[in-house]
Amino acid sequence: MYKIQTNSSGTRSIEISEEHLQTIEQYQFFRDLIDSNGYVDEQVLDKLKLNIRAMLESEAGKDKRLLDLCLDVIYHPNMKAYGLQQLVLLYINWKDRGNENLGMTTRAFQGTPFN
């Protein structure tokens, strides 16, 4: 279980499970999410929510893991742009640790890591 800070003052946080990160990976939610400027703002969070809402309305919406991710993380009352930025960084670190465990080389974060 991981904990991300969702505001800059550190008074709010959300717990992220391994299953949440696996669901993000399965659906590739961060692919092409962040524009070339590299900023995570409220518009990026809204874009993610719209993408997920479209999936929930389709057949893929029957996935319990996707629903859990939405309820526990993406639509959590504490989730703001700062929290999404922290979630993206957690995901990058989680992926890099997985690659290290597989004996692969890791790559540093260079703006848009999900190309």
Side-chain angles (χ1 to χ4, degrees):
M1 188 69 71
Y2 306 94
K3 185 180 271 191
I4 60 168
Q5 185 176 320
T6 58
N7 65 359
S8 58
S9 64
T11 58
R12 299 190 186 269
S13 62
I14 298 175
E15 290 190 351
I16 309 297
S17 71
E18 192 82 18
E19 188 172 284
H20 292 139
L21 295 170
Q22 291 169 356
T23 304
I24 291 168
E25 180 179 38
Q26 175 186 350
Y27 288 99
Q28 299 182 7
F29 284 130
F30 296 154
R31 179 172 294 256
D32 300 326
L33 180 66
I34 301 170
D35 295 331
S36 61
N37 64 18
Y39 292 114
V40 176
D41 57 15
E42 292 299 324
Q43 289 179 333
V44 174
L45 180 58
D46 291 341
K47 180 180 174 182
L48 176 61
K49 287 180 178 181
L50 289 173
N51 290 343
I52 291 175
R53 183 176 297 161
M55 293 187 85
L56 288 171
E57 291 173 355
S58 72
E59 190 65 31
K62 309 266 189 268
D63 184 0
K64 182 188 177 325
R65 289 175 45 178
L66 178 59
L67 293 172
D68 288 344
L69 176 69
C70 289
L71 293 173
D72 298 343
V73 180
I74 305 302
Y75 286 94
H76 190 284
N78 290 342
M79 180 55 82
K80 304 291 184 232
Y82 187 88
L84 179 58
Q85 179 182 14
Q86 298 306 304
L87 180 60
V88 168
L89 293 174
L90 171 64
Y91 177 77
I92 291 167
N93 289 330
W94 177 79
K95 287 288 289 180
D96 281 349
R97 275 199 311 276
N99 289 340
E100 286 174 355
N101 292 339
L102 295 174
M104 299 174 159
T105 59
T106 60
R107 58 189 166 103
F109 176 64
Q110 298 175 349
T112 54
F114 309 109
N115 295 335

